[in-house]
Amino acid sequence: MNAKIAVLAGDGVGREIVPEAVKILKAIGETYHHSFHFTSADIGGQAIDKAGVPLPNDTLALAKQSDAVLLGAVGGPKWEGLDYSLRPERALLGIREALGLYANLRPAKVYANLIDASTLKREVIEGIDILVVRELTGGIYFGKPKGIEQLPNGDERGVNTEVYTTEEVRRIAKVAFEAARKRRKKVTSVDKANVLESSELWRKVVIEVHKDYPDIELSHIYVDNAAMQLVRNPRQFDVLLCNNMFGDILSDEAAMLTGSIGMLPSASVGAKVGLFEPIHGSAPDIAGKNIANPIATIASAAMMLSYAFQLDKEAEAIDRAIVKTLDLGYRTKDIQSPGARIVGTAEMGDAILRNLT
Ligand code: NAD
């Protein structure tokens, strides 16, 4: 296949980890005979320094014309004093909005060799492989009315509104069912339908959409129980389908089961162009030292192959190479363990590259 990929490395460790992922994608292209065309552009602090804004028009235009976007991370102490509207992090909101990314996919997978990095017991987390599908553009973070108003007695009243339409639920439910088809074919929809009308509608629409996916097993769980089950028996979950706020909270909880931020990829998808990025930030404390873990970004590239291009075989090849590299004892500093072979960012990328074939 032919695909145009926008490469936005951004700031801090983004500039070290993104080239490793590009290296892997190029190798996949050669091995499996795909033409991937990479074009880089500025975003975040780096764009502020060059163009005065965190998301230049050229960058946005490139993203829109591409088939997928690979993003590193943005931000850093250098830009912290700037007005909020000019901060590097504004670029993330801007690009997500402009690309209409309404679904965020965050896998939380425990690698056999890294079980001890988790704060939970081995027997609880061994073998977990969860995908949190979070609705990203609706719900209480955007619903109106919202704000803080003055009351006649001098107190104030803070208001936010949880609101979902049939169509908003329908499209995110489809993303979850489609994702489950690539996995163990189980969707657990998270809601609070015993209390919230918006959840009642959520559940009704999810059940309706499920009729088109008879091969997928659907169950429902209240959010409080989901939070509990995630630490009690996380292996029961395959795909967790969540609204914006529940997904925000549960995806972080699921991520922490695995214990290492440098390993976790993410995908945001919408109508057309998807965005693929590690969940971590620019890690200014370790930037420029060749010690950042590139695996989250390389795994994000694998998600790109699977979710943007339907190249599942190629994505699996990357995932297998990551597992093999860890099995061989290669570790970056953040996931080091006794007896392991500590390597830098580029060396980890090279090792994964060697293990691709
Ligand atoms: P962070 O995720 O950058 O770092 C948190 C901790 O995890 C740090 O100790 C860091 O060294 C470590 N870490 C992160 N990625 C790692 C990797 N690949 N390998 C090894 N260790 C890694 O979060 P933070 O420190 O809160 O934020 C730093 C900057 O990043 C801030 O400017 C913040 O606004 C920005 N940020 C950007 C994004 C994004 O671009 N999507 C997300 C979160 C934070």
Side-chain angles (χ1 to χ4, degrees):
M1 77 170 298
N2 254 308
K4 286 184 281 186
I5 300 172
V7 180
L8 313 180
D11 307 316
V13 296
R15 312 194 68 69
E16 299 165 70
I17 53 184
V18 165
E20 299 311 310
V22 170
K23 200 152 86 178
I24 301 291
L25 284 172
K26 282 185 176 159
I28 288 282
E30 278 163 26
T31 310
Y32 294 86
H33 310 294
H34 303 302
S35 298
F36 297 140
H37 304 279
F38 301 91
T39 312
S40 300
D42 297 329
I43 193 165
Q46 177 208 30
I48 295 173
D49 287 351
K50 286 196 199 162
V53 288
L55 182 61
N57 288 337
D58 289 357
T59 302
L60 198 51
L62 171 73
K64 284 183 173 169
Q65 287 155 15
S66 302
D67 298 303
V69 179
L70 180 67
L71 180 77
V74 299
K78 184 175 176 191
W79 305 281
E80 265 163 22
L82 292 175
D83 186 75
Y84 273 103
S85 62
L86 277 177
R87 293 258 184 103
E89 293 79 1
R90 288 296 303 179
L92 299 175
L93 299 178
I95 196 166
R96 285 175 189 150
E97 195 180 336
L99 295 178
L101 304 173
Y102 58 80
N104 184 232
L105 282 66
R106 267 174 57 170
K109 185 165 154 177
V110 173
Y111 292 91
N113 281 311
L114 299 180
I115 283 182
D116 295 331
S118 175
T119 51
L120 274 82
K121 288 185 192 142
R122 169 178 285 268
E123 57 267 33
V124 174
I125 57 157
E126 203 156 33
I128 70 161
D129 184 2
I130 298 169
L131 179 73
V132 178
V133 174
R134 168 187 170 193
E135 201 287 328
L136 211 51
T137 54
I140 198 162
Y141 296 165
F142 297 94
K144 291 197 176 114
K146 65 189 287 184
I148 300 178
E149 57 193 37
Q150 282 291 328
L151 293 178
N153 69 358
D155 282 354
E156 290 176 300
R157 182 169 175 264
V159 181
N160 290 94
T161 306
E162 166 76 1
V163 51
Y164 272 107
T165 63
T166 306
E167 184 45 33
E168 283 173 321
V169 183
R170 191 179 286 139
R171 64 185 188 181
I172 191 74
K174 278 187 187 166
V175 171
F177 288 122
E178 293 289 339
R181 276 199 171 144
K182 292 177 184 283
R183 299 170 47 93
R184 300 192 307 281
K185 301 190 169 49
K186 264 177 72 176
V187 171
T188 308
S189 174
V190 178
D191 63 37
K192 190 75 183 167
N194 50 344
V195 181
L196 302 174
E197 280 80 1
S198 60
S199 272
E200 201 180 309
L201 177 75
W202 177 279
R203 191 178 281 214
K204 190 171 96 182
V205 177
V206 171
I207 290 171
E208 197 56 43
V209 176
H210 180 231
K211 289 180 183 154
D212 293 334
Y213 297 88
D215 51 322
I216 308 293
E217 185 188 324
L218 170 67
S219 59
H220 307 271
I221 190 168
Y222 296 140
V223 63
D224 42 347
N225 190 19
M228 194 169 74
Q229 295 299 331
L230 267 176
V231 284
R232 197 186 77 90
N233 176 19
R235 261 193 306 272
Q236 67 186 289
F237 297 123
D238 177 17
V239 175
L240 272 176
L241 166 61
C242 304
N243 72 14
N244 203 342
M245 183 166 66
F246 297 162
D248 190 2
I249 298 165
L250 295 183
S251 61
D252 271 14
E253 189 187 349
M256 278 329 291
L257 298 175
T258 70
S260 70
I261 196 169
M263 301 287 298
L264 295 166
S266 81
S268 298
V269 299
K272 196 177 157 265
V273 187
L275 180 96
F276 302 83
E277 58 179 327
I279 73 160
H280 61 75
S282 59
D285 53 332
I286 58 166
K289 297 181 179 164
N290 189 40
I291 55 175
N293 188 344
I295 293 181
T297 316
I298 293 171
S300 301
M303 288 189 86
M304 174 190 290
L305 295 179
S306 175
Y307 290 98
F309 307 146
Q310 313 307 324
L311 298 175
D312 293 333
K313 193 169 47 143
E314 290 81 343
E316 280 161 22
I318 296 181
D319 288 337
R320 271 200 311 274
I322 292 172
V323 171
K324 189 171 171 196
T325 306
L326 293 171
D327 285 348
L328 289 171
Y330 289 85
R331 298 283 187 279
T332 41
K333 218 167 153 230
D334 56 308
I335 50 170
Q336 64 182 310
S337 54
R341 183 165 170 182
I342 308 296
V343 293
T345 310
E347 293 72 30
M348 181 58 102
D350 288 341
I352 294 172
L353 189 68
R354 277 197 303 277
N355 291 320
L356 258 182
T357 41

